Amino acid sequence: MTSNRSEAWYRSRSLWLDEVDLGAPRITLSGDVHVDVAIIGGGFTGLWTAYYLAVARPGLRIAVLEREIVGYGAAGRNGGWVGAGIAGSSAVYAAKAGWQRTRLASHLTEQAVDEIGAVADAEEIPCDYLKRGTLTIARTTPQWQRLQAEVDHAKTTGMLAPGVELLSPEQVRDYVAVPEVVGGAFTPHCARVQPAQLARGLAAACERRGVSVYEHTEATSVHSNTVVTAGGVVRASSVLVATEAWTSRFAGQRRRYMPLTSMMVATAPLTAEQWKALGWPPGLTIRDRRHLFFYAQRTSDDRIAIGGRGAPYALRDPLGEFDSAQSDNTAIWDRLIRTLHEHFPGTEQHTVTHRWGGTLAVPRDWSMGVRYDHSTGLGWAGGYSGHGVVASYLAGRSLCDLVLGVNSPHADAPWVGHKSRRWEPEPLRFLAANGIVRVLDSADRREDSTNRAAWRAKLVKPFMPPA
Ligand SMILES: Cc1cc2nc3c(=O)[nH]c(=O)nc-3n(C[C@H](O)[C@H](O)[C@H](O)COP(=O)(O)OP(=O)(O)OC[C@H]3O[C@@H](n4cnc5c(N)ncnc54)[C@H](O)[C@@H]3O)c2cc1C
């Protein structure tokens, strides 16, 4: 079914979509077309793939099919963190590809942060890209221990990115005045963006290079060389599926990913005095090290946009429930608002103007995959487990090189060909999803009140990524 919703409805999906000029909708596919590459999904994965294909081979006939509008999915709703680091578990990739290749892949993620900024610059995409790094704060001893262990583990495996450092409470205060901090860590490898602007600007850049982008065009069935939509059939030498969380709606794909919802709120703009009191510089992204961590950015118009996990998973239709019941998830938003007030004094006086959420795809081993089969011309990418802004860029580059048969670090990255095993059938996946959230939430509350590591967090270890 192809939807045709109002502009107001799309705007209400996120602060970011509310801020962009949506303009007139793009055309919907009507009639059959023949192209070289058909890409399903107008999010970051689909658009980066189309962009790099069009750059590498001008004249290639490329069509992007989007069931709603460009940036409707997680690409237009996320935290706007363009953060380095492999999406998933380094250990999972290293087990197959070895640490040397996994380290190279990690460097690709660091370079990607700059490359995304360079494309935004070259294509004049006004997406507020600003690279000032990420501060992770610990406000309890267990959070601090986890941070230290993470940095130690990265050192031992050779995966520590250059410039990453642990910080004393005094050093944390040089970045931001969060109360009761016991330690922190800084990485320079992260930028903030207005993600919907990036997605929509990227679509326009693709179109300038001759890519056809169709909106309100849902792929109802996908085969090698053929995509069926309500308005027509697309025939293509290569068909690439870039639908992340929605992939589980395709026949036979239900257990490929666990669709998890992440929620966000944004405040009204803070005053210059408040920013001065907080000391939080523009562009710096901030998170904590709870099990159900928060992630926050200072937006270019001086709001705080903060997000976190914890929304319940609906058994019947995790994605459908989320879109129709978005405004009922008040408990999660209330928790985010409490987190905001606890960490950033003075924000209590500020109205929360936007509340939203979005769905991301988690494979069974939490590790992304990109595949392309030359014999059928069918490819797909996804499973970024909530760390998808850089990962979708890299997946797009990998898909592009695989389709063109180009040997490159992107085509040789350890996520290429990686296949995670499927999730347990329902209701086990439902129990796992809600169990993870409940157990981790309870572990966080226990740690906050006792200042000791809550061992109950280990109960969900079988469902979490290997260290
Ligand atoms: C609230 C939230 C916060 C996040 N924060 C961050 C962050 O700060 N940093 C980070 O790195 N990652 C973050 N993520 C994850 C990141 O946003 C995603 O991993 C990334 O956007 C995935 O891009 P994508 O293009 O693969 O998928 P999406 O952006 O979800 O795009 C998929 C598109 O496919 C379309 N589609 C689906 N089915 C069909 C069909 N049958 N036919 C045609 N089109 C279809 C959808 O409408 C959608 O537009 C966050 C995610 C959420 C939800």
Side-chain angles (χ1 to χ4, degrees), residues 40-45 65-67 72-75 77-81 217-219 242-244 246 250 262 264 295 358-360 384 386-389 392:
I40 303 161
F44 285 144
T45 304
L65 314 175
E66 166 54 52
R67 71 189 274 269
Y72 169 80
R77 309 184 193 201
N78 62 61
W81 283 45
T217 301
E218 178 174 12
T243 48
E244 249 258 301
W246 278 269
F250 288 117
S262 199
M264 295 200 69
Y295 49 90
T359 311
L360 46 99
Y384 313 123
H387 196 62
V389 175
S392 54

Side-chain angles (χ1 to χ4, degrees), residues 306-318:
I306 181 169
R309 306 268 168 84
Y313 167 96
L315 180 58
R316 197 168 50 82
D317 177 6

Side-chain angles (χ1 to χ4, degrees), residues 48 51-52 114-125 202 205 393:
W48 282 120
Y51 179 79
Y52 276 101
D114 295 323
E115 288 162 6
I116 290 171
V119 174
D121 209 26
E123 298 291 347
E124 298 182 3
I125 301 173
L202 198 52
Y393 166 86

Side-chain angles (χ1 to χ4, degrees), residues 18 46 98 110-111 134 140 143 160 165 182 205 210 227 244 271 340 349-350 376 382 412 428 433 445:
D18 194 22
E110 289 148 29
Q111 287 165 16
T134 292
T140 62
Q143 286 188 45
L160 192 70
E165 51 176 352
V182 299
V227 183
E244 249 258 301
T271 62
L340 171 78
Q349 311 150 18
H350 279 266
T376 60
D412 188 45
L428 289 178
R445 281 188 276 118

